[in-house]
């Protein structure tokens, strides 16, 4: 079939073993740079518009319908390099935006499971084909083999650079390998997709910690560029009495132990504190370790949990209870071991700035819950100690979520930052070209302190401190 023939006829026949079926072919392809067209597409295809990777969702659904699973997989992989992984753990913002879920249209399409199906059903003989650039003789070191590090390595290798990944743990994958339980993400699938990336000639060195095994300064000397993709690996703390007692686990540490094949102590009655995916993963893992009474405890109400409806249903199906409008105030122990948690009840209160609804502790509302173990799944923050000196802002991972919500032109895309003689950061050069961005900066002169950027930042990169000048007569 000639390429031109694809667009000259209205219909083509496709044969798959003993089945013959037809699909409507594309009659014309038109490319546009008009911003009005992008706006119209966003309205017409809201599922793709809300997808963080802007995956061609209608395209791969069509390919799945046509039983061209390899093609559907490639359409997914062109937007994200781990389609099979995302088909199992994605939070599915596309499905809540799906037009089929609008009133009188029925229910949303199962977009995420279709992504999973194309990864599972593509032929075993399917070969991934990528357009490679000529070698550049440039060498790039990447610190961290999580999703960000793998994606950076893949794209840099495509562009012709020689890439080396340094991973401090035994296996690659970062949070995918050590933070998510295997019953949600099979490890053979994860390793297959990682190998599909490494096959481009990317080298991987595991058990190599930056700072102890090799210094950042040494990497800078040996490589033309260094990408720091260490992720968020430092668990947040309660900052309440008793959190250092035995059998009080940090959520990420608990999951890491489980995923390494260990059996951290759970006991019979387990209290999980947290409202995200890690909290649910910890609770479901505790059930598999033999606990019979597992609960998830949250400060707000269930609709504010940072998980999708599927995760809520899975937890409920496994007998995990969710208690809302409570927060821990003290962890109680007998000797060094935890025996109970003191909670305070909370209430929801409206405020005028993001996140608009906050939880407020209610005085004199304490009550005691006996426990065998406590798991604090409060989220994680970046670990700046991963490297041997302060992380350079030019090497950080960034996104544009804050720019998208800023009501004023106060968040700048930066292509160069100058350092003052005293070592402090000086003036910066702005850019409108996203491909040249090396950092994001807030222009304090134009910032109105609305808090929108703080609310949408997925990595807690932004902090706002309220200051006041008060004059006191003496």
């Amino acid at each position: 079939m000639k390429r031109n023939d694809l667009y000259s006829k209205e219909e083509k026949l496709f044969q798959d073993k003993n089945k013959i079926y037809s699909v409507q072919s594309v009659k014309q392809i038109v490319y546009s740079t008009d911003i009005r067209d992008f706006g119209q597409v966003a309205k017409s295809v809201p599922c793709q518009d809300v997808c963080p990777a802007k995956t061609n969702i209608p395209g791969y659904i069509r390919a799945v319908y046509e039983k061209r699973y390899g093609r559907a997989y490639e359409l997914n992989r062109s937007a994200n390099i781990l389609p099979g992984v995302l088909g199992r753990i994605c939070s599915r913002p596309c499905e809540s935006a799906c037009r089929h879920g609008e009133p009188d249209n029925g229910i949303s399409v199962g977009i995420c499971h279709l992504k999973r199906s194309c990864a599972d059903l593509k032929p075993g003989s399917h070969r991934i084909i990528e357009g490679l650039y000529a070698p550049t003789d440039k060498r790039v070191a990447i610190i961290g083999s999580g999703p960000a590090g793998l994606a950076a390595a893949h794209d840099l290798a495509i562009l012709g650079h020689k890439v080396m990944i340094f991973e401090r743990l035994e296996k690659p994958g970062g949070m995918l390998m050590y933070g998510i339980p295997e019953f949600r993400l099979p490890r053979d699938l994860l390793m297959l997709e990682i190998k599909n990336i490494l096959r481009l000639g990317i080298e991987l060195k595991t058990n190599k910690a930056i700072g102890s095994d090799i210094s950042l300064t040494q990497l800078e000397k040996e490589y033309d560029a260094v990408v720091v993709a260490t992720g968020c690996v430092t668990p947040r703390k309660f900052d309440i009495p008793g959190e250092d007692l035995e059998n009080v686990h940090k959520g990420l540490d608990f999951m890491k132990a489980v995923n390494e094949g260990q059996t951290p102590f759970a006991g019979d009655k387990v209290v999980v504190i947290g409202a995200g995916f890690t909290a649910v993963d910890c609770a479901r893992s505790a059930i598999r370790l033999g606990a019979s009474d597992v609960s998830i405890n949250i400060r707000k109400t269930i609709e504010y949990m940072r998980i999708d409806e599927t995760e809520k249903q899975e937890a409920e199906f496994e007998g995990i209870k969710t208690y809302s409008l409570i927060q821990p105030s003290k962890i109680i122990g007998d000797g060094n071991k935890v025996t109970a948690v003191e909670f305070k009840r909370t209430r929801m209160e409206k405020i005028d700035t993001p996140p608009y609804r906050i939880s407020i502790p209610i005085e004199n509302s304490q009550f005691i819950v006996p426990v065998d173990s406590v798991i604090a799944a409060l989220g994680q923050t970046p670990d700046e100690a991963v490297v041997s000196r302060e992380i350079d802002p030019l090497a950080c991972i960034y996104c544009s979520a804050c720019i998208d919500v800023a009501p004023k032109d106060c968040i700048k895309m930066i292509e160069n930052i100058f350092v003052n003689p005293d070592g402090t950061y000086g003036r910066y050069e702005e850019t409108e070209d996203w491909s040249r961005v090396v950092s994001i900066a807030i222009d304090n002169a134009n910032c109105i302190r609305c808090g929108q950027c703080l609310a949408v930042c997925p990595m807690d990169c932004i902090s706002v401190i309220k200051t006041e000048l008060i004059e006191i007569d003496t």
Side-chain angles (χ1 to χ4, degrees), residues 187-251:
R187 293 307 187 258
D188 55 348
L189 169 79
L190 174 59
M191 287 308 302
L192 174 63
E193 296 205 322
I194 290 177
K195 289 176 181 177
N196 285 340
I197 297 167
L198 299 179
R199 84 190 201 290
L200 296 174
I202 298 166
E203 296 185 62
L204 170 66
K205 288 187 177 181
T206 57
N207 294 313
K208 289 290 184 181
I210 306 304
S212 56
D213 296 321
I214 186 171
S215 69
L216 183 60
T217 302
Q218 184 178 347
L219 290 182
E220 290 175 319
K221 291 179 180 178
E222 295 180 4
Y223 292 85
D224 296 289
V226 178
V227 177
V228 179
T230 51
C232 295
V233 295
T234 303
R236 290 195 179 98
K237 293 185 176 182
F238 281 124
D239 288 329
I240 60 174
E243 65 178 319
D244 295 324
L245 288 171
E246 187 177 340
N247 299 331
V248 177
H249 308 284
K250 298 179 177 66

Side-chain angles (χ1 to χ4, degrees), residues 26-45:
V26 178
K27 295 180 180 179
Q28 185 181 15
I29 295 178
V30 178
Y31 296 96
S32 173
T33 58
D34 192 325
I35 192 172
R36 294 173 295 180
D37 291 332
F38 287 93
Q40 183 57 44
V41 170
K43 291 182 179 179
S44 300
V45 195

Side-chain angles (χ1 to χ4, degrees), residues 228-297:
V228 179
T230 51
C232 295
V233 295
T234 303
R236 290 195 179 98
K237 293 185 176 182
F238 281 124
D239 288 329
I240 60 174
E243 65 178 319
D244 295 324
L245 288 171
E246 187 177 340
N247 299 331
V248 177
H249 308 284
K250 298 179 177 66
L252 183 56
D253 294 343
F254 182 83
M255 288 311 308
K256 183 174 180 291
V258 169
N259 289 323
E260 288 178 337
Q262 303 175 31
T263 54
F265 177 80
D268 184 60
K269 185 176 179 62
V270 181
V271 164
V272 180
I273 313 295
F277 285 98
T278 302
V280 177
D281 287 343
C282 289
R284 296 179 67 188
S285 297
I287 290 286
R288 286 158 176 78
L289 289 172
S292 62
D293 185 352
V294 180
S295 64
I296 297 174
N297 303 266

Side-chain angles (χ1 to χ4, degrees), residues 15 57 68 127-128 164 271 300 325 366 380 406 427:
Q15 185 170 356
I57 293 171
R68 295 189 292 157
R127 294 182 61 190
I128 297 173
M164 173 72 77
V271 164
K300 295 184 179 181
L325 295 176
Q366 293 91 335
Q380 295 84 233
R427 66 181 183 88

